[in-house]
Amino acid sequence: MLVPKFFPGTAPCNHADDSLYKSGYPQSMFQGRVSTIFFAIGITIMVGWLFYVGKDIILPIVTAIILLQILYAASATVARIPGLGQTPLWLRATLALIAVIAMLFAMTRMLVASLQNLVPSLPVYQRNLENLFAAWFPAPAEAIADPPQMAELMSSPQGIFDRGTEAVAKAVSEFATRFFTEIDIAALAQSVLASLTSFGGFVFITILYASFLLSEITGFPEKVRRAFGSDRESTDTLNMITRINHDIGSYLATKTLINIILGVICWAILMVLGVEYAALWAIIIGLLNYIPYIGSFVGVAFPALFAVAQFGNLTIPLIATGLMTIAQVIIGNIVEPKMLSKSVNLSPMVVLVSLAIWSSLWGIPGAILAVPFTTILMIVLARRPGTRPIAALLSSDGNV
């Protein structure tokens, strides 16, 4: 009589379990790993739900932490200024924060002034678009009293093509007419201006949080040592935080410089071509360029569409789009890789997935912060032997 094999506290093994047993792989270990995976998935879903629900509270705090990392990287640049090399870190970071506040204040004033001047001119641009659509898709003639019979159409392919073209032109013309009569562009611009005002409040709260975090930067290492107790654990944690500050700060500081260069180039192109509010579109292009892969092309679309409304033709808009696209390609494929180097060692596919996840949670701010968040996650996973393989899979070359 055959006696079935049992593990303590488990059901009888089948043939698959028997092979696991013979290979030295305990069933309890397999079940433990499966449970760990399900727990990790559940915790991830709960954290994602928390981030989505608590967006208004969490986003300013996270942005302040990211801003602090930028200041940490900028303080190294301030240290190169003669006379400031031996100053404390908090003083250099404070000077960098003052410079950031001044830049944000100037940029916000420019955006508000541009939008305030843009709103009264919107009816003119709307009429230019209506005239352009009317020239492209003229209203079709009245229907013929005796439409051609089906047999006549079937015997003449050219007649079928003409009738189809006429139907498409009529549908597009009706759509354009409805669009420009039902969409109030002026009201839309007013809502954008109101959103910009609320964004100013968000920036104020973020800077306030960053200021308080900056005041605690000098005593933070001692807090970590007392929190972990063990010298080894505290040292590992401080090293991880230092690497996060270095990688994220360097990436964002360098990316900001790249975006400023791109914005200045696009501003010069738009100014030469006579596109109005060139400074506004340059700022939008620079901000959207923080979003990987997608932001650069979306940023170019705004001034291109506005140029169509301003000039009422496609000549200047196509030239502007071509020149700005060339600038985007050169900076994105030549300048940016050399300047960023290995600051962010993320797989392009991982960047796209994180972009989709964070933009669905937090919208445009989440899309901008997708790369920093994923980089922080990769660094944290790389510090533990059990999760280091996951960090290697997130990286671009496997070196973590």
Side-chain angles (χ1 to χ4, degrees), residues 21-311:
Y21 176 79
K22 290 179 179 179
S23 63
Y25 194 95
Q27 184 179 3
S28 58
M29 183 181 297
F30 174 76
Q31 292 176 344
R33 291 195 175 186
V34 172
S35 301
T36 302
I37 292 174
F38 277 102
F39 279 130
I41 294 174
I43 292 174
T44 302
I45 295 174
M46 291 175 61
V47 171
W49 177 82
L50 179 63
F51 275 29
Y52 179 77
V53 174
K55 170 186 174 182
D56 295 335
I57 299 175
I58 299 175
L59 183 57
I61 299 174
V62 172
T63 308
I65 296 174
I66 299 295
L67 177 60
L68 191 65
Q69 292 171 340
I70 297 176
L71 298 177
Y72 180 83
S75 62
T77 304
V78 176
R80 299 191 185 99
I81 300 176
L84 297 177
Q86 302 300 323
T87 54
L89 175 62
W90 65 267
L91 179 59
R92 286 182 272 126
T94 302
L95 294 176
L97 178 61
I98 293 174
V100 170
I101 293 174
M103 183 176 66
L104 289 175
F105 179 75
M107 186 177 66
T108 303
R109 285 198 60 181
M110 186 182 301
L111 285 173
V112 172
S114 299
L115 287 175
Q116 287 177 343
N117 295 330
L118 176 62
V119 169
S121 304
L122 286 177
V124 177
Y125 302 140
Q126 186 169 354
R127 283 195 298 271
N128 291 340
L129 287 176
E130 291 175 355
N131 295 333
L132 182 62
F133 269 86
W136 283 352
F137 305 101
E142 295 296 330
I144 304 175
D146 296 323
Q149 299 297 322
M150 181 62 67
E152 182 181 351
L153 288 176
M154 294 300 294
S155 63
S156 174
Q158 182 63 36
I160 297 177
F161 178 78
D162 292 340
R163 296 281 293 178
T165 304
E166 182 180 336
V168 172
K170 181 178 179 181
V172 174
S173 178
E174 292 177 354
F175 170 77
T177 303
R178 279 200 311 270
F179 178 82
F180 289 113
T181 55
E182 296 178 4
I183 300 298
D184 190 352
I185 301 180
L188 183 62
Q190 292 284 3
S191 65
V192 172
L193 189 61
S195 300
L196 189 62
T197 304
S198 63
F199 175 74
F202 169 79
V203 171
F204 173 76
I205 295 297
T206 300
I207 292 176
L208 184 64
Y209 286 156
S211 302
F212 279 94
L213 289 173
L214 187 61
S215 65
E216 299 183 6
I217 193 172
T218 55
F220 184 75
E222 184 61 27
K223 288 183 178 180
V224 173
R225 293 189 183 94
R226 293 188 177 184
F228 287 91
S230 172
D231 291 338
R232 180 178 178 181
E233 291 185 2
S234 60
T235 302
D236 289 344
T237 303
L238 289 174
N239 290 337
M240 180 181 67
I241 295 174
T242 301
R243 183 184 170 186
I244 290 174
N245 289 336
H246 177 269
D247 290 358
I248 302 302
S250 299
Y251 166 76
L252 290 175
T254 308
K255 187 71 173 178
T256 300
L257 178 60
I258 293 172
N259 293 348
I260 292 175
I261 295 173
L262 178 63
V264 171
I265 294 174
C266 292
W267 171 81
I269 292 172
L270 295 174
M271 285 291 293
V272 170
L273 294 176
V275 179
E276 297 178 347
Y277 308 105
L280 172 65
W281 308 124
I283 292 175
I284 292 176
I285 290 173
L287 290 176
L288 290 178
N289 199 51
Y290 281 105
I291 303 176
Y293 305 122
I294 302 173
S296 57
F297 296 102
V298 174
V300 170
F302 283 103
L305 294 175
F306 176 80
V308 174
Q310 177 186 344
F311 295 102

Side-chain angles (χ1 to χ4, degrees), residues 340-372:
L340 288 178
S341 184
K342 293 294 185 179
S343 296
V344 178
N345 183 23
L346 288 176
S347 167
M349 183 62 190
V350 171
V351 173
L352 287 177
V353 173
S354 64
L355 180 63
I357 293 174
W358 286 107
S359 60
S360 63
L361 289 176
W362 286 353
I364 293 180
I368 294 175
L369 298 175
V371 172

